[in-house]
Amino acid sequence: FAERVAQSPSSGKPSAAVAAAVKGMLSNPSKTAVGVIGAGTMGSGIALTFLRAGYSPVTLIDNNDKGLERGVALIQKLIQGDVAKRRLSPKAAQAMGAALVPSTDLAALGKCKFIVEAAFESLEIKKGIFAKLDAIAASDAYLCSNTSTLDIDAIASALSPARRPYCAGMHFFSPAHVMKLVEIVRGAETSGETLAVVSAVTKKVRKVGVTVGNCDGFVGNRMLNPYTSEMLFVVEGGGASVMQVDGAISKFGMAIGPFLMSDLAGNDIGYKISLARGLAKDPKTGLPGPNRREGMRWTDLGGDLVADLGRVGQKAGKGWYTYDKRVGKGRMPMPSSEVAALIASFTTKSSSPDKGRKLKNKEIVERLLYPLVNEGFKILEEGIARDPADIDVIYIYGYGWPVWRGGPMFWADNEVRLPTLLARLEEFHTRYPSDYYAPSKLLRTCVALDVGVQEYYSQGLHKGGEGKAKL
Protein backbone atom coordinates (compact mmCIF):
# COMPACT_ATOMS: atom_id res chain seq x y z
CA PHE A 1 0.00 0.00 0.00
CA ALA A 2 2.79 2.44 0.92
CA GLU A 3 4.48 1.67 -2.40
CA ARG A 4 1.30 2.56 -4.30
CA VAL A 5 0.96 5.79 -2.33
CA ALA A 6 4.61 6.72 -2.96
CA GLN A 7 4.20 6.25 -6.73
CA SER A 8 0.86 8.03 -7.01
CA PRO A 9 0.72 11.53 -8.55
CA SER A 10 0.59 14.37 -6.04
CA SER A 11 -1.78 16.59 -7.99
CA GLY A 12 -4.72 14.58 -9.31
CA LYS A 13 -5.46 13.80 -12.96
CA PRO A 14 -2.76 14.99 -15.39
CA SER A 15 -3.54 17.51 -18.14
CA ALA A 16 -3.90 16.39 -21.74
CA ALA A 17 -0.43 17.76 -22.53
CA VAL A 18 1.18 15.86 -19.67
CA ALA A 19 -0.68 12.67 -20.59
CA ALA A 20 0.54 13.03 -24.19
CA ALA A 21 4.14 13.54 -23.02
CA VAL A 22 3.96 10.42 -20.87
CA LYS A 23 2.45 8.41 -23.72
CA GLY A 24 5.23 9.57 -26.02
CA MET A 25 7.85 8.03 -23.72
CA LEU A 26 5.98 4.78 -23.08
CA SER A 27 4.05 3.87 -26.24
CA ASN A 28 6.92 2.69 -28.44
CA PRO A 29 10.14 2.17 -26.47
CA SER A 30 11.77 0.24 -29.32
CA LYS A 31 11.82 3.50 -31.27
CA THR A 32 12.55 5.85 -28.36
CA ALA A 33 16.19 6.88 -28.08
CA VAL A 34 17.72 7.02 -24.60
CA GLY A 35 21.17 8.25 -23.62
CA VAL A 36 23.31 7.42 -20.59
CA ILE A 37 26.45 9.41 -19.77
CA GLY A 38 29.12 7.51 -17.86
CA ALA A 39 30.08 3.88 -18.50
CA GLY A 40 31.11 3.03 -14.96
CA THR A 41 29.29 0.44 -12.87
CA MET A 42 26.36 2.80 -12.24
CA GLY A 43 26.02 4.11 -15.80
CA SER A 44 26.33 0.64 -17.31
CA GLY A 45 23.67 -0.66 -14.92
CA ILE A 46 21.33 2.19 -15.87
CA ALA A 47 21.89 1.52 -19.59
CA LEU A 48 21.11 -2.17 -19.08
CA THR A 49 17.95 -1.22 -17.18
CA PHE A 50 16.67 0.74 -20.21
CA LEU A 51 17.70 -2.05 -22.60
CA ARG A 52 15.78 -4.60 -20.55
CA ALA A 53 12.69 -2.37 -20.76
CA GLY A 54 12.92 -2.43 -24.56
CA TYR A 55 14.25 1.08 -25.22
CA SER A 56 16.25 1.41 -28.42
CA PRO A 57 18.70 2.73 -29.23
CA VAL A 58 20.41 3.22 -25.87
CA THR A 59 23.53 5.32 -26.40
CA LEU A 60 26.21 4.88 -23.75
CA ILE A 61 28.72 7.73 -23.54
CA ASP A 62 32.11 7.84 -21.86
CA ASN A 63 35.03 10.14 -22.61
CA ASN A 64 37.51 7.32 -21.95
CA ASP A 65 37.87 4.57 -24.57
CA LYS A 66 38.94 1.90 -22.10
CA GLY A 67 36.24 2.91 -19.64
CA LEU A 68 33.65 2.63 -22.42
CA GLU A 69 34.96 -0.81 -23.40
CA ARG A 70 34.70 -2.00 -19.80
CA GLY A 71 31.14 -0.69 -19.55
CA VAL A 72 30.05 -2.42 -22.76
CA ALA A 73 31.76 -5.64 -21.67
CA LEU A 74 29.93 -5.52 -18.33
CA ILE A 75 26.56 -5.04 -20.04
CA GLN A 76 27.24 -7.90 -22.46
CA LYS A 77 28.30 -10.15 -19.59
CA LEU A 78 25.11 -9.39 -17.67
CA ILE A 79 22.97 -9.97 -20.77
CA GLN A 80 24.61 -13.35 -21.34
CA GLY A 81 24.08 -14.12 -17.67
CA ASP A 82 20.35 -13.53 -18.20
CA VAL A 83 20.44 -15.97 -21.13
CA ALA A 84 22.24 -18.60 -19.05
CA LYS A 85 19.60 -18.23 -16.33
CA ARG A 86 16.85 -18.50 -18.97
CA ARG A 87 15.52 -15.07 -18.15
CA LEU A 88 16.18 -13.99 -21.73
CA SER A 89 16.11 -15.78 -25.07
CA PRO A 90 19.23 -15.71 -27.29
CA LYS A 91 17.24 -13.78 -29.91
CA ALA A 92 16.17 -11.12 -27.39
CA ALA A 93 19.76 -10.91 -26.10
CA GLN A 94 21.01 -10.31 -29.63
CA ALA A 95 18.45 -7.53 -30.16
CA MET A 96 19.40 -5.98 -26.84
CA GLY A 97 23.07 -6.01 -27.76
CA ALA A 98 22.30 -4.41 -31.12
CA ALA A 99 20.31 -1.65 -29.39
CA LEU A 100 23.36 -0.59 -27.34
CA VAL A 101 25.33 2.17 -29.08
CA PRO A 102 28.64 3.04 -27.36
CA SER A 103 30.32 6.35 -28.13
CA THR A 104 32.89 8.78 -26.79
CA ASP A 105 31.16 11.70 -28.53
CA LEU A 106 28.54 13.55 -26.48
CA ALA A 107 27.02 14.79 -29.76
CA ALA A 108 25.75 11.22 -30.31
CA LEU A 109 22.96 12.10 -27.85
CA GLY A 110 21.44 14.69 -30.21
CA LYS A 111 18.40 12.58 -31.06
CA CYS A 112 17.78 11.13 -27.60
CA LYS A 113 14.42 11.81 -26.00
CA PHE A 114 15.56 10.91 -22.48
CA ILE A 115 19.09 11.35 -21.09
CA VAL A 116 20.49 10.20 -17.74
CA GLU A 117 23.85 11.57 -16.62
CA ALA A 118 25.78 9.18 -14.38
CA ALA A 119 29.24 10.76 -14.33
CA PHE A 120 31.59 11.18 -11.37
CA GLU A 121 29.96 12.80 -8.32
CA SER A 122 31.40 16.28 -8.82
CA LEU A 123 29.27 19.39 -9.20
CA GLU A 124 31.70 21.02 -11.62
CA ILE A 125 31.89 17.92 -13.82
CA LYS A 126 28.11 17.56 -13.91
CA LYS A 127 27.54 21.24 -14.64
CA GLY A 128 30.06 21.00 -17.47
CA ILE A 129 28.19 18.07 -18.98
CA PHE A 130 24.81 19.79 -18.72
CA ALA A 131 26.21 22.96 -20.28
CA LYS A 132 27.27 20.86 -23.29
CA LEU A 133 23.90 19.06 -23.38
CA ASP A 134 22.25 22.48 -23.59
CA ALA A 135 23.75 22.88 -27.05
CA ILE A 136 23.46 19.24 -28.12
CA ALA A 137 20.20 17.71 -26.85
CA ALA A 138 16.85 17.97 -28.61
CA SER A 139 14.79 20.91 -27.38
CA ASP A 140 12.19 18.62 -25.77
CA ALA A 141 14.60 16.06 -24.32
CA TYR A 142 14.30 15.22 -20.62
CA LEU A 143 17.64 15.68 -18.85
CA CYS A 144 18.19 13.76 -15.61
CA SER A 145 21.14 13.55 -13.25
CA ASN A 146 21.90 10.42 -11.25
CA THR A 147 23.53 12.45 -8.47
CA SER A 148 23.16 10.96 -5.01
CA THR A 149 23.83 14.13 -2.98
CA LEU A 150 24.40 17.18 -5.18
CA ASP A 151 22.11 20.17 -5.64
CA ILE A 152 19.83 19.58 -8.66
CA ASP A 153 19.21 23.32 -8.99
CA ALA A 154 22.96 23.98 -9.18
CA ILE A 155 23.28 21.34 -11.91
CA ALA A 156 20.26 22.77 -13.79
CA SER A 157 21.78 26.25 -13.60
CA ALA A 158 24.20 25.17 -16.36
CA LEU A 159 21.20 24.92 -18.72
CA SER A 160 19.48 27.79 -20.48
CA PRO A 161 16.32 28.97 -18.66
CA ALA A 162 14.04 27.38 -21.28
CA ARG A 163 15.55 23.93 -20.61
CA ARG A 164 15.49 23.93 -16.82
CA PRO A 165 11.88 22.72 -16.53
CA TYR A 166 13.02 19.53 -18.34
CA CYS A 167 15.69 18.76 -15.73
CA ALA A 168 15.24 16.50 -12.68
CA GLY A 169 17.21 14.17 -10.46
CA MET A 170 16.95 10.44 -11.08
CA HIS A 171 18.92 8.82 -8.27
CA PHE A 172 19.36 5.11 -9.02
CA PHE A 173 20.87 2.82 -6.39
CA SER A 174 23.84 0.56 -6.97
CA PRO A 175 23.88 -1.86 -8.67
CA ALA A 176 21.33 -0.03 -10.82
CA HIS A 177 20.26 -3.09 -12.80
CA VAL A 178 19.36 -4.87 -9.54
CA MET A 179 18.18 -2.31 -6.98
CA LYS A 180 14.53 -1.32 -7.34
CA LEU A 181 14.54 2.19 -5.89
CA VAL A 182 14.83 5.48 -7.76
CA GLU A 183 14.61 8.81 -5.94
CA ILE A 184 13.04 11.28 -8.38
CA VAL A 185 14.29 14.71 -7.34
CA ARG A 186 12.24 17.80 -8.09
CA GLY A 187 14.25 20.97 -8.57
CA ALA A 188 12.90 24.49 -8.12
CA GLU A 189 12.17 24.76 -11.86
CA THR A 190 11.30 21.13 -12.66
CA SER A 191 7.94 21.06 -14.43
CA GLY A 192 4.99 18.87 -13.53
CA GLU A 193 5.26 17.32 -16.98
CA THR A 194 8.87 16.32 -16.39
CA LEU A 195 8.01 14.76 -13.02
CA ALA A 196 5.15 12.82 -14.59
CA VAL A 197 7.34 11.56 -17.43
CA VAL A 198 10.25 10.59 -15.18
CA SER A 199 7.85 8.81 -12.81
CA ALA A 200 6.24 6.92 -15.69
CA VAL A 201 9.60 5.95 -17.20
CA THR A 202 10.81 4.78 -13.78
CA LYS A 203 7.82 2.46 -13.55
CA LYS A 204 8.32 1.34 -17.18
CA VAL A 205 11.88 0.20 -16.40
CA ARG A 206 10.47 -1.78 -13.45
CA LYS A 207 11.71 0.43 -10.66
CA VAL A 208 9.94 1.93 -7.66
CA GLY A 209 10.10 5.71 -7.96
CA VAL A 210 9.59 8.08 -5.03
CA THR A 211 9.45 11.83 -5.69
CA VAL A 212 11.48 13.88 -3.20
CA GLY A 213 12.58 17.47 -2.75
CA ASN A 214 16.02 18.92 -3.38
CA CYS A 215 18.45 19.04 -0.46
CA ASP A 216 21.85 17.63 0.45
CA GLY A 217 21.46 13.86 0.18
CA PHE A 218 17.72 14.10 -0.66
CA VAL A 219 15.92 11.62 1.64
CA GLY A 220 17.84 8.35 1.83
CA ASN A 221 21.42 9.59 2.02
CA ARG A 222 20.54 12.54 4.22
CA MET A 223 19.05 10.17 6.79
CA LEU A 224 22.08 7.90 6.43
CA ASN A 225 24.50 10.65 7.48
CA PRO A 226 23.80 10.56 11.25
CA TYR A 227 23.76 6.76 11.11
CA THR A 228 27.24 6.52 9.55
CA SER A 229 28.58 9.34 11.73
CA GLU A 230 27.45 7.74 14.98
CA MET A 231 28.91 4.34 14.05
CA LEU A 232 32.35 6.00 14.22
CA PHE A 233 31.72 7.60 17.61
CA VAL A 234 30.50 4.29 19.04
CA VAL A 235 33.73 2.46 18.15
CA GLU A 236 36.00 5.45 18.87
CA GLY A 237 34.61 5.70 22.39
CA GLY A 238 35.47 2.07 23.03
CA GLY A 239 31.87 1.05 23.62
CA ALA A 240 31.83 -1.57 20.88
CA SER A 241 33.95 -3.08 18.12
CA VAL A 242 33.36 -2.79 14.37
CA MET A 243 32.04 -6.36 14.29
CA GLN A 244 29.74 -5.79 17.27
CA VAL A 245 28.17 -2.70 15.67
CA ASP A 246 27.60 -4.55 12.41
CA GLY A 247 26.28 -7.56 14.32
CA ALA A 248 23.80 -5.48 16.33
CA ILE A 249 22.43 -3.78 13.21
CA SER A 250 22.25 -7.07 11.29
CA LYS A 251 20.45 -8.72 14.21
CA PHE A 252 17.96 -5.84 14.12
CA GLY A 253 17.21 -6.92 10.56
CA MET A 254 19.17 -4.60 8.26
CA ALA A 255 20.63 -6.39 5.23
CA ILE A 256 24.19 -5.50 6.29
CA GLY A 257 25.83 -3.47 9.03
CA PRO A 258 27.12 0.09 8.48
CA PHE A 259 30.84 -0.73 8.42
CA LEU A 260 30.42 -3.49 5.84
CA MET A 261 28.11 -1.20 3.87
CA SER A 262 30.83 1.47 3.87
CA ASP A 263 33.42 -1.05 2.67
CA LEU A 264 31.16 -2.12 -0.19
CA ALA A 265 30.35 1.45 -1.25
CA GLY A 266 33.97 2.61 -0.86
CA ASN A 267 35.23 4.42 2.23
CA ASP A 268 36.95 6.93 -0.03
CA ILE A 269 33.58 8.29 -1.23
CA GLY A 270 32.58 9.63 2.18
CA TYR A 271 36.11 10.87 2.79
CA LYS A 272 36.15 12.84 -0.46
CA ILE A 273 32.75 14.36 0.36
CA SER A 274 33.97 15.47 3.81
CA LEU A 275 37.08 16.99 2.19
CA ALA A 276 34.95 18.83 -0.38
CA ARG A 277 32.75 20.16 2.44
CA GLY A 278 35.77 21.48 4.28
CA LEU A 279 35.29 19.20 7.30
CA ALA A 280 38.01 16.54 7.04
CA LYS A 281 41.50 17.56 8.09
CA ASP A 282 43.88 18.74 5.39
CA PRO A 283 45.93 15.67 4.31
CA LYS A 284 49.03 17.85 3.83
CA THR A 285 48.94 20.07 6.91
CA GLY A 286 46.87 17.93 9.26
CA LEU A 287 44.81 21.01 10.18
CA PRO A 288 41.01 20.71 10.66
CA GLY A 289 38.88 21.56 7.63
CA PRO A 290 37.96 25.26 7.37
CA ASN A 291 34.24 24.55 7.82
CA ARG A 292 34.64 22.49 10.97
CA ARG A 293 33.02 24.58 13.69
CA GLU A 294 34.70 25.01 17.06
CA GLY A 295 33.26 22.48 19.49
CA MET A 296 31.69 20.49 16.65
CA ARG A 297 31.41 16.78 17.40
CA TRP A 298 33.74 15.27 14.82
CA THR A 299 36.15 12.38 14.44
CA ASP A 300 38.94 11.87 11.91
CA LEU A 301 38.80 8.11 12.39
CA GLY A 302 37.17 7.41 9.02
CA GLY A 303 39.43 9.91 7.25
CA ASP A 304 42.63 8.43 8.70
CA LEU A 305 41.48 4.94 7.70
CA VAL A 306 41.54 6.10 4.07
CA ALA A 307 44.24 8.79 3.98
CA ASP A 308 46.83 7.11 6.23
CA LEU A 309 46.12 3.41 5.78
CA GLY A 310 44.66 3.35 2.25
CA ARG A 311 41.82 1.12 3.44
CA VAL A 312 39.24 2.28 0.90
CA GLY A 313 37.07 -0.84 1.04
CA GLN A 314 36.41 -4.24 -0.47
CA LYS A 315 37.61 -3.10 -3.93
CA ALA A 316 41.13 -2.72 -2.48
CA GLY A 317 40.96 -5.86 -0.34
CA LYS A 318 40.99 -3.79 2.85
CA GLY A 319 38.65 -1.36 4.56
CA TRP A 320 37.12 -1.64 8.01
CA TYR A 321 37.60 -5.35 7.36
CA THR A 322 40.26 -7.29 5.48
CA TYR A 323 39.31 -9.29 2.38
CA ASP A 324 41.27 -12.21 0.94
CA LYS A 325 40.60 -13.42 -2.62
CA ARG A 326 41.20 -16.95 -1.40
CA VAL A 327 38.34 -16.66 1.10
CA GLY A 328 34.77 -16.29 -0.18
CA LYS A 329 36.00 -14.92 -3.52
CA GLY A 330 37.38 -11.86 -1.73
CA ARG A 331 34.01 -10.88 -0.27
CA MET A 332 34.26 -12.38 3.21
CA PRO A 333 34.82 -9.64 5.82
CA MET A 334 37.55 -10.56 8.30
CA PRO A 335 38.69 -8.59 11.38
CA SER A 336 41.76 -6.40 10.92
CA SER A 337 44.42 -5.92 13.61
CA GLU A 338 45.54 -2.75 11.79
CA VAL A 339 42.05 -1.25 12.10
CA ALA A 340 41.83 -2.35 15.75
CA ALA A 341 45.10 -0.54 16.46
CA LEU A 342 43.89 2.62 14.70
CA ILE A 343 40.65 2.62 16.71
CA ALA A 344 42.58 2.00 19.97
CA SER A 345 44.76 5.06 19.25
CA PHE A 346 41.62 7.18 18.91
CA THR A 347 39.98 5.67 22.01
CA THR A 348 43.03 6.59 24.10
CA LYS A 349 42.60 10.27 23.15
CA SER A 350 38.79 10.24 23.26
CA SER A 351 36.77 12.10 25.88
CA SER A 352 33.68 9.99 25.14
CA PRO A 353 31.43 9.13 28.11
CA ASP A 354 31.47 5.57 26.70
CA LYS A 355 35.04 4.96 27.87
CA GLY A 356 35.16 2.07 30.30
CA ARG A 357 31.70 0.74 29.45
CA LYS A 358 30.54 -1.82 26.92
CA LEU A 359 27.39 -1.11 24.97
CA LYS A 360 24.67 -3.68 24.56
CA ASN A 361 23.12 -4.31 21.16
CA LYS A 362 19.93 -2.46 22.09
CA GLU A 363 21.81 0.76 22.81
CA ILE A 364 23.89 0.44 19.64
CA VAL A 365 20.66 0.19 17.62
CA GLU A 366 19.22 3.21 19.42
CA ARG A 367 22.39 5.29 18.98
CA LEU A 368 22.49 4.68 15.23
CA LEU A 369 18.85 4.38 14.21
CA TYR A 370 17.10 6.94 16.42
CA PRO A 371 18.95 9.90 14.84
CA LEU A 372 18.24 8.38 11.40
CA VAL A 373 14.52 8.42 12.19
CA ASN A 374 14.82 11.91 13.70
CA GLU A 375 16.27 13.13 10.40
CA GLY A 376 13.23 11.61 8.70
CA PHE A 377 11.01 13.83 10.87
CA LYS A 378 13.09 16.88 9.89
CA ILE A 379 12.79 15.93 6.21
CA LEU A 380 9.00 15.83 6.59
CA GLU A 381 9.05 19.20 8.39
CA GLU A 382 10.88 20.74 5.44
CA GLY A 383 8.62 19.20 2.82
CA ILE A 384 11.45 17.16 1.27
CA ALA A 385 9.25 14.05 1.55
CA ARG A 386 5.51 14.11 0.95
CA ASP A 387 4.46 11.45 3.45
CA PRO A 388 6.07 9.19 6.10
CA ALA A 389 5.20 6.18 3.92
CA ASP A 390 7.45 7.60 1.17
CA ILE A 391 10.41 7.46 3.55
CA ASP A 392 9.53 3.89 4.51
CA VAL A 393 9.44 2.83 0.84
CA ILE A 394 12.82 4.48 0.21
CA TYR A 395 14.44 2.63 3.10
CA ILE A 396 12.91 -0.75 2.31
CA TYR A 397 13.86 -0.69 -1.38
CA GLY A 398 17.09 1.29 -1.25
CA TYR A 399 18.78 0.66 2.09
CA GLY A 400 17.97 -2.89 3.16
CA TRP A 401 15.56 -1.94 5.95
CA PRO A 402 13.77 -5.11 7.18
CA VAL A 403 10.36 -5.28 5.50
CA TRP A 404 8.78 -6.88 8.54
CA ARG A 405 9.56 -3.73 10.57
CA GLY A 406 7.66 -1.62 8.02
CA GLY A 407 10.23 1.14 7.37
CA PRO A 408 11.86 3.59 9.83
CA MET A 409 8.84 5.88 10.31
CA PHE A 410 6.44 2.95 10.75
CA TRP A 411 8.91 1.41 13.20
CA ALA A 412 9.06 4.64 15.20
CA ASP A 413 5.25 4.84 15.35
CA ASN A 414 4.49 1.21 16.12
CA GLU A 415 7.50 -0.40 17.84
CA VAL A 416 9.57 2.33 19.43
CA ARG A 417 6.63 4.69 20.12
CA LEU A 418 7.20 8.41 19.73
CA PRO A 419 7.33 9.39 23.43
CA THR A 420 10.14 6.84 23.92
CA LEU A 421 11.95 8.10 20.82
CA LEU A 422 11.72 11.70 22.03
CA ALA A 423 12.94 10.87 25.54
CA ARG A 424 15.94 8.87 24.29
CA LEU A 425 16.91 11.55 21.75
CA GLU A 426 16.87 14.18 24.50
CA GLU A 427 19.03 11.94 26.67
CA PHE A 428 21.49 11.25 23.84
CA HIS A 429 21.61 14.94 22.88
CA THR A 430 22.68 15.82 26.43
CA ARG A 431 25.30 13.05 26.57
CA TYR A 432 26.52 13.25 22.95
CA PRO A 433 25.90 16.84 21.73
CA SER A 434 25.39 16.29 17.99
CA ASP A 435 22.84 18.30 16.00
CA TYR A 436 21.29 15.09 14.72
CA TYR A 437 20.23 14.13 18.26
CA ALA A 438 18.28 17.40 18.72
CA PRO A 439 14.63 16.28 18.48
CA SER A 440 12.66 17.66 15.54
CA LYS A 441 9.75 20.05 16.03
CA LEU A 442 7.45 17.62 14.22
CA LEU A 443 8.34 14.82 16.64
CA ARG A 444 7.59 17.09 19.60
CA THR A 445 4.28 18.11 18.00
CA CYS A 446 3.22 14.50 17.43
CA VAL A 447 4.04 13.57 21.03
CA ALA A 448 2.16 16.62 22.36
CA LEU A 449 -0.90 15.67 20.26
CA ASP A 450 -0.53 11.98 21.20
CA VAL A 451 -0.58 10.86 17.54
CA GLY A 452 1.80 8.85 15.40
CA VAL A 453 3.49 10.62 12.52
CA GLN A 454 1.55 8.59 9.94
CA GLU A 455 -1.71 9.46 11.69
CA TYR A 456 -0.63 13.11 11.75
CA TYR A 457 -0.33 13.02 7.96
CA SER A 458 -3.38 10.84 7.35
CA GLN A 459 -5.52 13.33 9.28
CA GLY A 460 -4.10 16.22 7.23
CA LEU A 461 -2.65 17.93 10.30
CA HIS A 462 0.51 18.73 8.34
CA LYS A 463 -1.29 20.88 5.74
CA GLY A 464 -0.41 24.53 5.81
CA GLY A 465 3.02 23.76 7.27
CA GLU A 466 6.51 24.33 5.89
CA GLY A 467 8.10 23.00 2.75
CA LYS A 468 5.41 23.34 0.10
CA ALA A 469 7.91 24.71 -2.42
CA LYS A 470 10.00 21.53 -2.20
CA LEU A 471 7.37 19.17 -3.66
Side-chain angles (χ1 to χ4, degrees), residues 197-313:
V197 168
V198 176
S199 296
V201 168
T202 300
K203 195 170 184 179
K204 177 70 175 176
V205 299
R206 302 182 185 89
K207 302 294 182 185
V208 176
V210 181
T211 301
V212 299
N214 182 31
C215 69
D216 186 5
F218 315 129
V219 170
N221 283 345
R222 175 173 162 180
M223 290 173 65
L224 204 64
N225 185 56
Y227 173 76
T228 53
S229 295
E230 196 59 27
M231 76 181 194
L232 298 175
F233 290 119
V234 166
V235 298
E236 181 187 73
S241 67
V242 166
M243 289 193 74
Q244 187 186 347
V245 170
D246 275 358
I249 295 300
S250 295
K251 189 174 181 180
F252 171 81
M254 296 290 278
I256 56 175
F259 287 102
L260 180 55
M261 178 189 72
S262 185
D263 272 1
L264 293 176
N267 300 314
D268 51 326
I269 295 174
Y271 174 60
K272 287 174 183 175
I273 290 172
S274 64
L275 275 175
R277 291 175 177 167
L279 295 172
K281 68 182 180 184
D282 188 305
K284 294 180 180 178
T285 66
L287 296 174
N291 294 328
R292 197 189 300 184
R293 302 188 311 272
E294 187 176 349
M296 180 180 183
R297 191 166 176 246
W298 179 266
T299 175
D300 285 307
L301 176 59
D304 285 4
L305 180 86
V306 174
D308 295 348
L309 303 183
R311 303 187 70 97
V312 298

Side-chain angles (χ1 to χ4, degrees), residues 375-387:
E375 200 65 33
F377 275 89
K378 293 175 183 178
I379 282 167
L380 289 167
E381 272 179 32
E382 296 168 22
I384 299 298
R386 182 176 57 175
D387 188 275

Side-chain angles (χ1 to χ4, degrees), residues 69 128 153 213 237 286 337 340 397 430 448 459 470:
E69 288 173 10
D153 294 333
S337 57
Y397 283 114
T430 300
Q459 291 183 5
K470 299 290 184 182

Side-chain angles (χ1 to χ4, degrees), residues 117 119-129 147 150 155:
E117 167 274 312
F120 183 73
E121 189 76 346
S122 158
L123 182 58
E124 292 310 308
I125 289 174
K126 290 180 185 292
K127 286 179 70 175
I129 290 170
T147 179
L150 299 175
I155 294 170

Side-chain angles (χ1 to χ4, degrees), residues 413-471:
D413 269 351
N414 296 283
E415 283 193 57
V416 178
R417 304 293 182 180
L418 301 194
T420 300
L421 175 64
L422 176 58
R424 287 297 272 167
L425 284 171
E426 288 176 328
E427 181 183 336
F428 288 147
H429 190 227
T430 300
R431 194 186 308 164
Y432 314 104
S434 289
D435 291 345
Y436 52 70
Y437 278 133
S440 80
K441 294 177 183 177
L442 175 58
L443 173 58
R444 292 187 184 281
T445 299
C446 288
V447 171
L449 294 174
D450 193 26
V451 296
V453 67
Q454 189 61 65
E455 184 182 358
Y456 184 84
Y457 272 72
S458 297
Q459 291 183 5
L461 299 176
H462 64 292
K463 292 180 179 177
E466 299 177 55
K468 283 191 170 183
K470 299 290 184 182
L471 283 173

